[in-house]
Amino acid sequence: MTKPFKYAVRSDAVIIGSGLSGLVAGALLSKSGKKVVILPEENPAASVEVPFFPQTIGLGFEREGPVDRIFNEIGISIPLLRRTQEVFKKKSSFLQILLSFYRFTLYHDRENTLDDLKTGFGGKVQTLRVLFQKSDEWEAILYPFLYSTSPWAFIRKGAVLKQLTRGFVYQAKVFKLQTQKALEFCKALGMEEDPIDFLNALSLFYFHHTLRDISTLDFFKMLLVLKNEPLMVSGGISGLREIFLKVIKKNKGEIWSTPPSSLSFQKNRILGVEFKGKESLGCDVLILNPEKGGLAKEKAVRIFNGYFEIPEEVIPAMMGDCLILKFNDRFPYHSGNFLMFSLATGETAGSMEEKRFTSKRAVLAQYFLPASKNQVSEEELKKEIEQRLIWVMPFVEGKIEWIKSFVEEQKEWNFPYLSKEKLRKAAFLQKGNYPVLSMDKSFYFLPHPVSDVLINPFLIKRGYDVAHIVKKRGINP
């Protein structure tokens, strides 16, 4: 293909956005000798500086797992990072779900979790045991779909007709999981209200949606992730991001600070990236990788974030780093009736002389505002959340210090450099359960889930898949 003269500066691959999937792709491509440029996305949400950072949980970073193999290919040793605790710190439990009658704990070992569920649910736990067994039965089908670049990769050598038959059966099963709602599946198992409330809370933690809004495929994906070892990730997603950026820079990749103003396409191929007041950049592959949320087109979400400082000694010994509960026990679980607490660490605000580590911790309280609440009274909401904190931690009464609160609005993303046609196509693809979203021959779109507290292996693997697809097709086919 003849290169347009106007692109005097060129790159093999341009990645817009510094989410994990894109940076993994960038690290692998730069390591293979490709010239990679990372550009910032034009994020409409203003960042709010706070002195404390909530804990981030990583799942699926166990030894000999798919992420471990990907890190090895990039040149990063997860066992070394775990030994030095530079990035990962092991956790025996990572999440608690508080219902009105019991505080459930999710442990590293699934049997420990089931023992705890039996204590809380008694005989009702049997349907949850059946559910875990069913998710395990689906693992052989789900993992090829989630962890391979091709839906046919699970088919072993054999007759062509037999391969095709297995492929169609596989696709039919996956299609059923994609189209069925998780709530329908749980009710078909005969599950009662209390276990469904528990699973609704778990779904809200992972997806910010209840079982009514997620597919059975996503539901099983969530249950399978529970088999992995939870780790606390120091520095959150930013800590991992820095590791990949170092690899990219080491392999002569470039990090630019200017977001693009427009993209140039010719039919179904990318030509280059335009900037306001700066020389254009030609490229052969474009990876659009927003840090979180993707297009977020279906529903606008408003989240109240409140930071409260509390003394270390009033935190119950049984409390985990993340806790999720109903905001109002009189109403059923839904996206506007849950509250999430995350314990946070950091330094006190103030000048450099005043900053010092204290025996205090911070709690980040996140409340998803219902669509019906157009106006929110910050003072009233603070008082309500303080009452819930006192209910969770009885000895905290009179010792809560408010730090800061703000309402975060996750609106529809509007990428000004994408045409309406491509935005429509991206929105359509985003509704499916695709590990890799290929827009055109040289354009890849990788929307991230919204969760701020969870890092899972699917993000890492998706970037790996893109890098290998690009290398297989060739940068400039």
Side-chain angles (χ1 to χ4, degrees):
M1 177 180 167
T2 305
K3 305 292 190 297
F5 179 76
K6 67 173 181 176
Y7 296 116
V9 180
R10 295 200 56 81
S11 176
D12 292 320
V14 167
I15 299 172
I16 302 175
S18 56
L20 291 183
S21 298
L23 291 184
V24 167
L28 286 165
L29 289 173
S30 64
K31 201 169 181 358
S32 67
K34 308 301 181 185
K35 185 178 179 182
V36 175
V37 174
I38 310 291
L39 302 177
E41 61 179 307
E42 203 162 74
N43 190 339
S47 61
V48 181
E49 292 296 328
V50 291
F52 289 86
F53 301 96
Q55 305 288 352
T56 302
I57 299 163
L59 293 172
F61 292 83
E62 65 276 3
R63 290 187 180 94
E64 303 302 323
V67 175
D68 191 18
R69 293 192 290 273
I70 292 168
F71 273 51
N72 283 335
E73 191 170 326
I74 296 173
I76 302 167
S77 169
I78 287 184
L80 180 61
L81 293 176
R82 289 164 59 107
R83 272 199 308 274
T84 60
Q85 296 194 351
E86 180 184 346
V87 176
F88 297 114
K89 296 179 182 178
K90 189 174 179 180
K91 297 295 294 184
S92 58
S93 64
F94 65 97
L95 173 68
Q96 292 184 332
I97 295 173
L98 188 58
L99 299 182
S100 58
F101 57 91
Y102 193 74
R103 183 194 296 252
F104 297 95
T105 302
L106 274 70
Y107 294 96
H108 158 48
D109 188 285
R110 187 187 277 186
E111 287 304 313
N112 290 342
T113 297
L114 281 169
D115 288 342
D116 191 55
L117 291 173
K118 185 177 180 180
T119 305
F121 287 128
K124 296 178 184 177
V125 79
Q126 186 57 34
T127 51
L128 287 171
R129 285 186 180 275
V130 171
L131 187 59
F132 281 142
Q133 288 169 0
K134 283 186 174 294
S135 69
D136 292 340
E137 290 168 12
W138 275 99
E139 185 171 3
I141 292 178
L142 282 175
Y143 271 133
F145 176 70
L146 296 168
Y147 283 106
S148 67
T149 58
S150 168
W152 311 96
F154 72 100
I155 301 174
R156 296 183 179 180
K157 291 181 179 179
V160 174
L161 183 60
K162 193 174 183 180
Q163 287 183 350
L164 288 174
T165 302
R166 287 180 180 179
F168 285 127
V169 169
Y170 167 77
Q171 292 285 24
K173 288 182 176 180
V174 169
F175 179 76
K176 182 179 179 181
L177 291 178
Q178 285 177 322
T179 53
Q180 182 186 40
K181 292 298 181 185
L183 183 60
E184 297 170 9
F185 180 82
C186 291
K187 286 184 175 179
L189 284 179
M191 195 166 288
E192 298 182 45
E193 185 179 348
D194 290 341
I196 284 178
D197 263 358
F198 170 82
L199 293 168
N200 271 329
L202 191 58
S203 177
L204 286 164
F205 176 75
Y206 276 85
F207 301 111
H208 293 172
H209 292 292
T210 59
L211 303 182
R212 189 184 301 277
D213 298 313
I214 67 168
S215 68
T216 307
L217 180 73
D218 281 334
F219 182 55
F220 278 160
K221 186 196 308 183
M222 177 182 79
L223 294 178
L224 288 174
V225 167
L226 282 179
K227 295 177 71 174
N228 294 319
E229 180 182 24
L231 297 167
M232 297 311 294
V233 183
S234 305
I237 291 177
S238 297
L240 276 178
R241 184 184 290 137
E242 286 303 313
I243 293 175
F244 299 128
L245 286 172
K246 284 180 183 176
V247 173
I248 292 169
K249 290 176 182 176
K250 182 180 177 182
N251 291 284
K252 299 184 179 178
E254 298 180 26
I255 318 296
W256 291 17
S257 59
T258 308
S261 59
S262 63
L263 304 175
S264 177
F265 289 91
Q266 186 178 72
K267 293 184 179 179
N268 59 351
R269 290 202 60 81
I270 181 71
L271 294 180
V273 183
E274 312 289 337
F275 303 90
K276 288 180 180 177
K278 189 176 178 180
E279 190 172 16
S280 302
L281 172 65
C283 63
D284 297 310
V285 170
L286 174 70
I287 299 172
L288 180 56
N289 183 53
E291 290 186 24
K292 64 177 183 177
L295 295 175
K297 191 169 184 176
E298 292 185 11
K299 294 179 182 178
V301 179
R302 297 165 67 233
I303 309 171
F304 177 86
N305 295 274
Y307 283 83
F308 302 86
E309 193 176 52
I310 57 176
E312 181 84 38
E313 61 270 17
V314 303
I315 300 174
M318 60 165 42
M319 183 169 171
D321 290 285
C322 294
L323 185 144
I324 190 166
L325 65 155
K326 277 188 181 182
F327 192 70
N328 191 325
D329 286 321
R330 292 173 297 171
F331 299 107
Y333 253 123
H334 57 77
S335 58
N337 188 32
F338 78 99
L339 183 66
M340 187 161 69
F341 291 140
S342 303
L343 286 177
T345 56
E347 295 179 325
T348 55
S351 65
M352 291 300 293
E353 292 76 18
E354 293 172 336
K355 280 187 177 182
R356 57 188 176 85
F357 284 101
T358 68
S359 61
K360 293 189 175 183
R361 296 282 295 277
V363 170
L364 167 60
Q366 290 187 307
Y367 172 52
F368 281 59
L369 295 164
S372 57
K373 286 193 177 183
N374 293 323
Q375 300 294 327
V376 57
S377 168
E378 186 179 43
E379 285 302 319
E380 287 180 12
L381 205 48
K382 278 167 52 182
K383 287 179 183 177
E384 286 186 63
I385 289 175
E386 284 183 14
Q387 290 305 310
R388 300 299 282 177
L389 270 173
I390 293 168
W391 183 60
V392 171
M393 311 178 192
F395 296 105
V396 82
E397 188 168 7
K399 299 177 182 178
I400 303 173
E401 295 180 31
W402 172 77
I403 302 173
K404 178 177 285 193
S405 60
F406 58 93
V407 175
E408 176 186 358
E409 298 201 32
Q410 295 177 352
K411 295 182 179 178
E412 176 182 343
W413 288 83
N414 178 26
F415 299 107
Y417 35 79
L418 280 185
S419 66
K420 289 183 179 179
E421 179 189 349
K422 292 196 182 297
L423 279 171
R424 280 196 298 269
K425 185 174 181 181
F428 172 76
L429 287 172
Q430 187 174 290
K431 291 179 182 177
N433 291 279
Y434 302 93
V436 177
L437 305 181
S438 178
M439 293 279 288
D440 292 303
K441 288 183 178 178
S442 61
F443 180 22
Y444 303 87
F445 175 59
L446 304 176
H448 278 216
V450 176
S451 179
D452 293 318
V453 295
L454 185 67
I455 300 172
N456 66 52
F458 308 111
L459 293 178
I460 308 292
K461 183 59 169 61
R462 186 164 45 183
Y464 174 85
D465 287 341
V466 165
H468 278 266
I469 288 173
V470 169
K471 286 194 285 185
K472 186 176 180 180
R473 291 179 177 178
I475 281 286
N476 186 25

